[in-house]
Amino acid sequence: MRAAAPEVVAPQELEALCRKLQAQMPTGVALAMTRAGGDLPAIYPAESAAMTRAVPRRVAEFTAGRAAARMALSQLGVAPVAIPMGSDRAPVWPSGLCGSISHMDDLCIAVAAREGNIAALGIDVESAGALDADLMPSIATSLELRRMGGAPSLAAKRLFSAKEAAYKAQYPLSRRVFGFHTLGLAERQADTLTFRFSEEVPPFVAGSRIVVRQWETAGLCLSLSVLRR
């Protein structure tokens, strides 16, 4: 469902953008950014099995994502470690740690935290442009778009990113796959969006809330969900 997006962050701006976002992370959450195709360490043997049949672009994206994840973990004092892909294609984080990885074109971003009062994380990055009109009905209801405000196509893109982050955050706990309308936007306060489950998705009951914080900067829409115990 992702549409191609132009390069929105020049390589020389990446470090400054990363520092800016790191300063806005909640306590205990580390963030790192990389670019696919750069001078990055090779993936670990435990990770390479997932890339056996992948095309070069996907290998570059995967390599950059794992590099960003290890950079985020290093901020928590964790030595470099493999982050293999599980049978459900989700990253398998080291015991006692949680995290999330997102890609947009050649830009990769990862967040990580030590499990404790944080149970799971979800991160998503998109271009800040409009969402294709034919995708909007599958992403958001008219009520959700009104709650977001602004141009519907831009509101739909922000909702797409926020729901992706919320879905990623809940997945390690539920291991359930569901559509965008299972999480409905209940409230928006500035850069904070609150979603509610429209149905039971164990361990979440219908009506359970997931909060997402969202930033728009440097042509990007970045969404982060932190699930606390």
Side-chain angles (χ1 to χ4, degrees), residues 153-189:
S153 60
L154 296 176
K157 175 59 81 67
R158 296 197 301 272
L159 277 167
F160 173 85
S161 179
K163 289 189 178 188
E164 283 278 297
Y167 171 82
K168 287 183 176 181
Q170 68 80 38
Y171 182 78
L173 306 180
S174 74
R175 298 292 170 181
R176 279 277 304 277
V177 177
F178 52 73
F180 285 100
H181 292 298
T182 300
L183 286 169
L185 179 66
E187 183 181 3
R188 181 195 178 201
Q189 293 290 337

Side-chain angles (χ1 to χ4, degrees), residues 5-21 24 33 35 104-107 109 125-129 214-222:
E7 182 175 303
V8 290
V9 184
Q12 63 271 22
E13 298 173 346
L14 185 63
E15 185 175 347
L17 174 61
C18 190
R19 287 198 301 269
K20 177 181 177 180
L21 292 171
Q24 299 182 62
M33 303 175 77
R35 279 200 176 278
M104 190 204 75
D105 289 345
D106 67 341
L107 180 67
I109 184 166
V125 61
E126 307 288 338
S127 69
Q214 195 167 75
W215 297 264
E216 288 194 53
T217 181
L220 301 174
C221 177
L222 179 71

Side-chain angles (χ1 to χ4, degrees), residues 183-205:
L183 286 169
L185 179 66
E187 183 181 3
R188 181 195 178 201
Q189 293 290 337
D191 62 358
T192 302
L193 286 66
T194 301
F195 294 91
R196 285 196 174 95
F197 281 90
S198 62
E199 60 187 69
E200 182 179 13
V201 180
F204 303 95
V205 300

